[in-house]
Structure formats: structure tokens, C-alpha cells
Amino acid sequence: MFTRAIVRKPCEAMIDGISTAGLGLPDYELACRQHADYVTGLEGCGLAVTVLPADLEYPDGTFVEDTAIMLPSGVILTRPGAISRRGEVERIRPTLESLFNNVSVIESPGTLEGGDVLMVGSHFYIGISERTNHDGAKQMIGILEKHGLTGTMVHLKEMLHLKSGVSYLEGGNLLVYGEFVANPKFSKFPKLRIDESEAYAANSLWVNDTVFVPQGYPMTALTIKSKGYVVKLLDVSEFQKLDGGLSCLSLRFSG
Ligand code: CIR
């Protein structure tokens, strides 16, 4: 169960964020409202949420998930593969250092983004993508082992991040889309397959037995409900325009 989360408000410069979605520019005011609803959603699941201020220097800074990996007994500061995002890590560092004694860092030439990290109990799947390289993943596995945890690499073919196409719902179910459906790395999991027309919903987010699902993906919502989870729909259209999903908007942990 999670007890805490960290988020960062979107900034007006978000219109300059990295995007391949082809959905147009985000509307900042609407993004702020959607972000506030997201925070309320986390609070409704019992989490105490630290809301960091908007940071105009980093258009993608609201996607805090990419800057750190939360472990049961520490945190790893990442080194984003997107060069324009690298400075985001220093901006969140003081907050994380105030919460954890055990802080590790990914060093050059390694790159790692949190969107490529899927935690399943004490095991971490690390996507090797355009943003996360082999060196970064290897460093992360070394750090995990010092914490008594394990990690394995999963090579991505098409997707931005591992969690663009796979989400783990506590209780054992894996939401999967596209290239991950048949990936042998995930063969042991019961899978909930996401229809192609609802690909974006593959990034849904388990938060203490509620699953946040992006609004507008009814088949996915029904599939998740049928497995006994409470579903909370959240409109994150303005973040989708920047290739961001529900998980990207927070760091979740217990502590
Ligand atoms: C980026 O391309 O880095 C941002 N526009 C979106 C980051 C999404 N983060 C995530 O999936 N964890």
C-alpha cells in the first residue's frame, strides 16, 4: 500500500514539452484542473501528497515519475535519456533527500527514466528504450541488489517507455498492450489485454486497490472492474498530448 506521493504542478511552458502524440498543444489551464483532480484522486486513496511548484524551466517537469525510482528502503535518482529533462532530477533531489537517507544515483554514461521501470513486488522490470540504456539498467540492477531486490531488462521495440504498454495491478494482473502481449519476460502473469483502439489506457495506475484509468477507454475500465478493482476515471487529455500517462504524474511510495 502507498501512503505518500510527490507530484509537480504543470507549468505554462508545458506547450514546449516533448511530444510525438500529434494531438495538438496542451491547454495549460485545463491541465492544471486535471492535475488538481489527479491529486484529489490520490488523496482519496489515502495518500499524503507533496505538491511541488510548477517549474517554468522544465516543460516536462510535471512527469516526475521519470526522475526517480522509489524503493522500499531508499530512492534512485535517474539520469533521463531526454537531455532537455536531465535537470529535472536536481530540482526534485532536495525533496527526496529530505525523505530518504539512502539515495543512489545513475551516472553517465547510463540513462534511465522512471517510465521504463515496472515494480512487481521485490522485482523490477527495466525497459531498454530510447530513454533508458543498457548501462543505466545495469547500474540500477546493481543498486537493487544492494537493497536485496532484483531486476531484469526488457528490450522495447516501439514504445516510448515500458509502462506505456504494461501496468501491474497489485493482486497479480498485468495490463498489456502491443509488443508486450507475447513478450516471454511476462509469460507467468495473468494478462488483461488492452484493445488496440484503447492503447493509451495500458498506462493505468493501481493505487491502494483503486485503479486510475484514463477517461475515454470504456473497454479497459470494464475489464479492470471485472477483476474486482474499484476503477477511478481521470481525464488526463492534456498530458496525453505530451505522451504522458497516469503513472508519469507522480512518485508513489510508503514511508
Ligand atoms: C517525455 O517525452 O519525456 C514527456 N513528454 C512525457 C513523459 C512521460 N513519462 C512517462 O511515461 N513516465
Side-chain angles (χ1 to χ4, degrees):
M1 298 290 269
F2 298 122
T3 57
R4 301 193 61 155
I6 300 171
V7 302
R8 185 182 291 286
K9 286 186 177 174
C11 67
E12 280 175 285
M14 72 185 293
I15 53 170
D16 298 321
I18 305 170
S19 177
T20 60
L23 297 171
L25 290 178
D27 174 328
Y28 167 66
E29 303 292 339
L30 180 55
C32 288
R33 289 198 293 278
Q34 293 178 347
H35 194 264
D37 288 347
Y38 180 85
V39 171
T40 305
L42 291 172
E43 288 170 343
C45 294
L47 278 67
V49 184
T50 301
V51 182
L52 300 175
D55 184 344
L56 266 174
E57 271 185 57
Y58 294 99
D60 285 302
T62 192
F63 301 117
V64 287
E65 177 181 64
D66 292 318
T67 61
I69 313 300
M70 314 309 289
L71 307 179
S73 53
V75 61
I76 303 174
L77 296 175
T78 67
R79 184 168 181 270
I83 292 170
S84 66
R85 301 198 57 195
R86 243 169 232 173
E88 292 175 25
V89 177
E90 284 309 309
R91 296 298 173 103
I92 204 165
R93 185 178 193 135
T95 305
L96 294 170
E97 283 181 343
S98 72
L99 290 166
F100 294 93
N101 294 325
N102 195 327
V103 180
S104 307
V105 291
I106 299 297
E107 289 166 357
S108 175
T111 63
L112 180 75
E113 294 191 1
D116 276 320
V117 176
L118 177 74
M119 182 180 82
V120 181
S122 60
H123 188 77
F124 291 70
Y125 293 91
I126 309 166
I128 305 299
S129 67
E130 282 187 17
R131 303 290 185 87
T132 296
N133 66 16
H134 187 271
D135 189 278
K138 209 169 136 215
Q139 288 183 45
M140 177 169 163
I141 291 171
I143 296 164
L144 290 174
E145 285 169 358
K146 286 189 196 141
H147 285 265
L149 305 164
T150 52
T152 46
M153 301 183 201
V154 182
H155 287 83
L156 271 61
K157 295 184 194 127
E158 288 161 11
M159 288 188 193
L160 170 64
H161 284 129
L162 178 63
K163 280 186 290 193
S164 311
V166 198
S167 299
Y168 180 66
L169 310 182
E170 294 293 333
N173 294 298
L174 204 64
L175 275 188
V176 282
Y177 171 72
E179 64 185 88
F180 302 117
V181 173
N183 190 312
K185 290 269 162 84
F186 300 121
S187 58
K188 68 172 185 184
F189 291 97
K191 292 189 193 68
L192 309 178
R193 196 174 168 162
I194 303 290
D195 189 81
E196 197 169 340
S197 62
E198 299 203 353
Y200 178 68
N203 185 270
S204 289
L205 180 64
W206 181 94
V207 186
N208 298 353
D209 294 336
T210 292
V211 180
F212 293 2
V213 178
Q215 194 170 300
Y217 300 92
M219 287 189 284
T220 305
L222 263 183
T223 303
I224 295 173
K225 258 187 209 158
S226 76
K227 293 291 167 189
Y229 298 98
V230 175
V231 164
K232 176 161 183 63
L233 299 180
L234 282 169
D235 190 358
V236 281
S237 61
E238 302 317 289
F239 303 99
Q240 183 178 13
K241 290 175 180 171
L242 297 179
D243 301 337
L246 284 161
S247 74
C248 325
L249 291 172
S250 60
L251 288 165
R252 303 144 308 267
F253 55 105
S254 29

